[in-house]
Amino acid sequence: MKLPIIMLSALIVLSACSSSSTGRKQVMLFSDTELDKMGAASFDDMKKKTPISSDKATNDFVQCVANAITKNVPQSVHKGNWEVVVFDSSQVNAFALPGGKIGVYTGILNVTENQDQLGAIIGHEVGHVIEHHSNERLSASKLQNMGMAAATAAVGMADIENKGLWMAGLGVGLQYGVIMPYGRSHESEADIVGQDLMAKSGFEPSASIKLWQNMAKLSANSGKGAPAEFMSTHPSNETRIKQLSEHLPVSMKYYQTGNNPKCKKPS
Ligand SMILES: [Zn+2]
């Protein structure tokens, strides 16, 4: 009984030394290669199960925005081209996966009024990838599988900043996969990283605030407690809009209007 705890602790000590760009300590037990493989496999699966849009204007628009964003993603996150697919589905959703994969549902294009707002969405999703959030979630899941008792002991030993994540990872009935809702700290980090990224890519960073206001409106109009899909996996609230507004002076420093990619949203 003692051995797994010792092994687990050693594992944590070895892997807990990294931190995210906002300074959050991270526990990551998987290699980038493993994550890339999982991302690619999940993406292939999605492509088999969900219809893909063949509308040229829509694909050109999404590709144009995605290209502008991914150009500014460090090579250490993904080398080479990103694969961008527009799924023909009314779902208000989008995602990015390790291994350079981006999926955008046509449903979300009804909420994004222009290239800047789509830039905010793709920036946010790629932000999750840049900050290795899938790795953290899968690591939490792995620790959960290694046993409640051992993991509880490990929590006591881990950096206190990680405790929230670890405790969440221990929660009953939590299901971790590559595509799943993120926790509040991940959402907040993706918002900040995403806003900087969209600004660097030539998109007006204040569009991120307008986007979430649109999302909130959509959620309010969609009937009794039935939020749009993107809202349900990306809990939006006043805190998020407030944080994006507070961060705006920082991201504006990265924003150069001359950089604007001029991606045209089809009418
Ligand atoms: Zn998110």
Side-chain angles (χ1 to χ4, degrees):
M1 190 60 211
K2 282 238 163 87
L3 191 63
I5 297 173
I6 292 162
M7 286 167 66
L8 189 63
S9 307
L11 205 59
I12 289 153
V13 170
L14 286 172
S15 59
C17 45
S18 54
S19 56
S20 72
S21 68
T22 65
R24 213 169 38 79
K25 292 275 190 333
Q26 295 179 293
V27 174
M28 296 190 286
L29 307 177
F30 297 89
S31 70
D32 288 347
T33 313
E34 286 172 305
L35 258 296
D36 288 0
K37 269 186 200 158
M38 287 187 248
S42 302
F43 202 66
D44 283 344
D45 199 46
M46 297 276 304
K47 287 194 287 185
K48 277 180 202 138
K49 288 178 182 157
T50 316
I52 294 169
S53 167
S54 56
D55 183 78
K56 191 179 182 300
T58 304
N59 272 275
D60 286 352
F61 173 57
V62 173
Q63 190 74 50
C64 175
V65 173
N67 280 349
I69 294 278
T70 54
K71 255 196 292 185
N72 292 292
V73 176
Q75 287 281 304
S76 58
V77 175
H78 179 69
K79 286 184 192 67
N81 292 334
W82 287 66
E83 184 180 0
V84 182
V85 170
V86 181
F87 292 104
D88 204 352
S89 159
S90 59
Q91 271 194 60
V92 180
N93 214 346
F95 62 88
L97 297 172
K101 311 292 179 189
I102 292 173
V104 173
Y105 292 77
T106 47
I108 209 165
L109 299 174
N110 299 327
V111 187
T112 51
E113 295 166 313
N114 49 44
Q115 61 165 357
D116 301 291
Q117 290 180 19
L118 184 59
I121 286 178
I122 296 179
H124 172 97
E125 294 303 336
V126 170
H128 282 303
V129 177
I130 292 173
E131 299 301 332
H132 307 286
H133 291 166
S134 314
N135 200 334
E136 283 187 272
R137 288 185 313 188
L138 290 164
S139 301
S141 169
K142 185 173 182 175
L143 289 165
Q144 187 182 20
N145 293 339
M146 285 169 88
M148 190 70 95
T152 306
V155 167
M157 294 186 61
D159 189 287
I160 192 75
E161 285 177 64
N162 283 323
K163 212 157 186 174
L165 167 74
W166 291 68
M167 295 313 284
L170 295 173
V172 179
L174 285 178
Q175 289 188 322
Y176 288 90
V178 173
I179 302 169
M180 59 154 290
Y182 290 91
R184 188 174 289 262
S185 64
H186 285 171
E187 281 310 303
S188 178
E189 192 163 77
D191 279 345
I192 297 293
V193 172
Q195 197 185 57
D196 288 346
L197 182 58
M198 72 183 288
K200 282 174 198 163
S201 309
F203 298 111
E204 163 72 58
S206 68
S208 61
I209 297 160
K210 188 73 203 325
L211 168 76
W212 290 108
Q213 287 166 343
N214 290 353
M215 288 283 194
K217 232 181 277 173
L218 181 78
S219 177
N221 293 340
S222 67
K224 290 178 194 168
E229 290 84 351
F230 197 80
M231 295 290 287
S232 62
T233 56
H234 291 69
S236 170
N237 48 42
E238 286 175 15
T239 314
R240 159 172 258 158
I241 291 170
K242 187 167 165 272
Q243 192 197 18
L244 284 166
S245 306
E246 283 167 0
H247 189 71
L248 197 56
V250 179
S251 62
M252 278 304 282
K253 288 180 192 154
Y254 300 116
Y255 179 52
Q256 290 161 328
T257 44
N259 237 355
N260 193 296
K262 298 189 177 68
C263 306
K264 198 177 172 323
K265 185 182 173 181
S267 44

